[in-house]
Amino acid sequence: MSEKQNMLESRPYNAADPELLQERNRARELLKKLNFTSPQDAALRAQLQKELLPNAAEDLHIEYPFFCDYGAQIYTGKNVFINFNCTILDCAQVEIGDNTLIGPNVQIYTATHPLQPQKRLEGLESAQKVRIGKNVWLGGGCIILPGVWVGDNAVVAAGAVVTRDVAPNTVVAGSPAKIIRRFLG
């Protein structure tokens, strides 16, 4: 199996693999163009955004700057808004449901490293899928860690660090994030 296949199937992989380096460099070139394209040049922005994020809905709205590893593993539903300075490390699939609002400085991570120092020294890492449900609000500066699922209608408070799944129709806050409120969807 290739390192890319290992990465996409949540098995340990070497991120320094030439194919993965090439794909990350391609994304960085597109991000450089996107992040410095005039807001007045909507057609160019739309073209570059589609090239970077081929699995995003047509109506995805991003306030730039925006950062990601690959772009191709980011899947968005309709009517998603991503505010300034969002970082998505999409070594594994990141699903973002319809009508989701992502605040400024939000970070979504799929990449993770082994706990054993020897394995880290070998350059191995792995990635775990992240799923953000429909009608979710991720408050500014929150961090979503690898493998987390955020349920439909949930709210993640600003600055929260989400280390485990978030139930639908809840508000979570803190570090690590804990439920502070439940409500009817």
Side-chain angles (χ1 to χ4, degrees):
M1 289 227 170
S2 72
E3 295 301 315
K4 181 176 180 178
Q5 288 171 310
N6 285 333
M7 178 183 79
L8 295 175
E9 295 180 19
S10 296
R11 289 192 294 270
Y13 65 93
N14 182 342
D17 175 72
E19 178 185 16
L20 295 176
L21 283 171
Q22 180 180 6
E23 289 189 22
R24 284 196 308 275
N25 286 336
R26 177 189 171 277
R28 280 163 179 69
E29 287 297 323
L30 288 167
L31 286 164
K32 180 180 171 186
K33 292 174 186 173
L34 265 167
N35 288 333
F36 290 99
T37 297
S38 169
Q40 308 305 321
D41 199 343
L44 177 59
R45 275 192 166 198
Q47 173 202 339
L48 292 169
Q49 185 170 299
K50 185 64 179 166
E51 197 173 335
L52 176 66
L53 303 166
N55 298 305
E58 294 279 328
D59 65 348
L60 171 64
H61 181 88
I62 300 176
E63 293 290 345
Y64 291 94
F66 171 76
F67 305 95
C68 65
D69 272 335
Y70 299 94
Q73 282 80 246
I74 299 171
Y75 293 76
T76 70
K78 296 176 183 166
N79 195 35
V80 170
F81 176 85
I82 299 175
N83 215 324
F84 297 103
N85 212 35
C86 178
T87 299
I88 301 177
L89 302 184
D90 63 317
C91 302
Q93 188 171 331
V94 175
E95 291 179 11
I96 302 170
D98 295 345
N99 306 310
T100 291
L101 302 172
I102 299 178
N105 300 306
V106 166
Q107 300 167 61
I108 301 173
Y109 304 148
T110 64
T112 185
H113 301 277
L115 296 177
Q116 302 82 3
Q118 185 56 42
K119 292 213 182 273
R120 286 195 305 271
L121 290 171
E122 293 170 12
L124 294 178
E125 61 184 62
S126 61
Q128 298 172 8
K129 178 179 178 177
V130 169
R131 181 187 166 274
I132 311 296
K134 296 177 182 175
N135 308 312
V136 170
W137 176 19
L138 300 180
C142 74
I143 300 171
I144 309 295
L145 294 184
V148 166
W149 288 48
V150 178
D152 292 347
N153 309 312
V155 175
V156 176
V161 178
V162 182
T163 61
R164 45 179 73 159
D165 293 351
V166 175
N169 306 310
T170 59
V171 178
V172 299
S175 178
K178 293 184 169 93
I179 295 174
I180 61 169
R181 184 173 172 202
R182 296 179 192 276
F183 57 89
L184 297 176

